[in-house]
Amino acid sequence: MPVVEHPAPAQDEVIPELNNRYGKLASHVYNLDKPIGKSFGDVEFYRARLEGCTGAILEPAVGNGRMLVPLIEAGLDVVGFDASEDMLDHCRRQCAARSLSPDLTIQTFDSFAYRERFEAVIVPAGSLQLITDHAAAMAVLQRFFGHLAPSGRLIVDLDAIGSFFGDANSFRQWRTEHGDLLTLTAQRFQIDYVAQTTVSSLRYERWVDGQLAESELELFSLRWWGVHELVLALRAIGFVEITVSGNYQHGRAPNNDDGAISFEARRPA
């Protein structure tokens, strides 16, 4: 298989077609690194918070189904969408292997649409932070609000701000089910303190018998939110009964040592 060379982006350049796309190799790595059944405390948290839901639940940016599958297996009615066909392929295979057939579609944050209204919209794993423009993120939160039934709940996770300023460079590797080696070399090359964003280059490579067989370059852009900033944003949109929790301990105020912060808010009846 010919190797496709991907030139590194110029300093401070964000190439739209490479940005947060979760292509073939990136999706494969995600599925190996975060398989169905792996939890950071979030699967148990969401299962507990959604217990008793009888209506449909929407998971935007559903990915490989790490959250969706155990929620469905717990008896919940969950549907999802993702912008990456490669990620959805993994999700569909995982569901088919368990004889599950949820509604999974290719859609994006800024244009998703459903006729039904949901009892809950859930955005785990910090996926909201993939929306790097503040105005666009506000529009998406408004879209979530519009897709909730009266008294429906939105539950959103954020990574703590401290995680954005850790080690800028990393190297990781995984073995595939066929014995190939997948590697990921990550390098952060931009921090915008005004826009509250970071951009990293992610080079994925597949090696067969010590030879490079395939490579893929992606840019990974994220936006950090302040805790009170997101609370104010949710209030401005019309959400009420907002609860902020640290490290998946519902109702426990977050602190500086928390790796994840969860927000639960309700659309008025």
Side-chain angles (χ1 to χ4, degrees), residues 48-60:
R49 296 308 305 149
L50 296 169
E51 186 177 8
C53 280
T54 57
I57 298 165
L58 173 64
E59 183 183 359

Side-chain angles (χ1 to χ4, degrees), residues 50 52-58 75-79 116-120 149:
L50 296 169
C53 280
T54 57
I57 298 165
L58 173 64
L76 297 166
D77 177 15
V78 189
V79 305
E116 65 184 308
R117 293 298 174 259
F118 296 93
E119 187 170 350

